[in-house]
Amino acid sequence: MSKEFLFKHIQKFIPFISQSEVEQIYTYFTALNLKKKEIVQHEEELCRSMLFVCKGCLHSYYIKDNGSLQTLDFAIESWWICDYMAFENSSLSDLTIQAVETSIVLSLSRESLDALLQHHPVMEQYFRRIFQRSYAAAQKRVQFLYQYSREELYFHFASHYPEFVQRVPQYLLASYLGFTPEYLSEIKKNSLR
């Protein structure tokens, strides 16, 4: 399942890639089955891998000084998640990455990534496109944080990413949007009036 899923995803960005090459590419990955709420990357541990979600949902977060959880990112099927700064620098992670749902992910270590790019240079093109999209999405998120009121931010998010609103617990969605769960409940309640 994960091999075929990865093949279809890579093929979206590199249409000319063959299934036999993806078979070789797949050998650089390690498949992980995660239970709901299982932590795959702990804060203050060496960041060793990037994670590609085949099934399920993960989120990255850190704990603020006041003890509250701040979600930075989500990843559902076909999305990557990582503390990219720590991964790039082979350093300790500032983030925790946890499964929101039972999930199947492919883990790609730093060493495996380097070997993959050396033996399959076409993957440079794949990762360039993935990271460009990821960076563009991060820019849009920052723009929306400045542009919209809190209520507008929720409704924009809910209309553009309804799968998150349905799949992600309300307290995590509130954390991602910078709300308290109570404030998000109030927004939702007022919208029903």
Side-chain angles (χ1 to χ4, degrees), residues 9 23 39 54-55 71 94 99 113 127 139 173 181 188:
H9 185 67
E23 294 270 344
I39 294 176
C54 296
K55 181 177 184 276
T71 296
D94 292 329
L113 175 62
F127 281 110
Q139 285 180 315
L173 182 59
K188 291 168 89 174

Side-chain angles (χ1 to χ4, degrees), residues 4-5 10-13 15 21 26 31 52-53 66 98-99 101 104 112 118 131 143 145 151 171 185-186 192:
E4 187 60 30
F5 194 82
I10 292 172
Q11 208 172 36
K12 278 192 222 174
F13 296 91
E21 185 167 11
Y26 185 78
F52 176 74
V53 180
N66 67 6
Q98 181 182 42
E101 304 170 344
I104 300 170
S112 293
Q118 181 180 355
F131 290 138
Q143 178 187 355
L145 287 171
E151 292 83 5
Y171 78 97
S185 291
E186 191 65 30
L192 298 174

Side-chain angles (χ1 to χ4, degrees), residues 122-159:
V122 69
M123 290 300 287
E124 290 272 3
Q125 181 180 353
Y126 166 78
F127 281 110
R128 178 180 51 82
R129 289 181 174 175
I130 292 298
F131 290 138
Q132 284 173 332
R133 282 184 170 206
S134 178
Y135 187 74
Q139 285 180 315
K140 276 292 182 199
R141 179 175 180 219
V142 170
Q143 178 187 355
F144 295 151
L145 287 171
Y146 289 120
Q147 180 178 347
Y148 294 130
S149 70
R150 300 287 106 197
E151 292 83 5
E152 291 170 331
L153 183 61
Y154 168 73
F155 290 118
H156 175 82
F157 186 84
S159 68

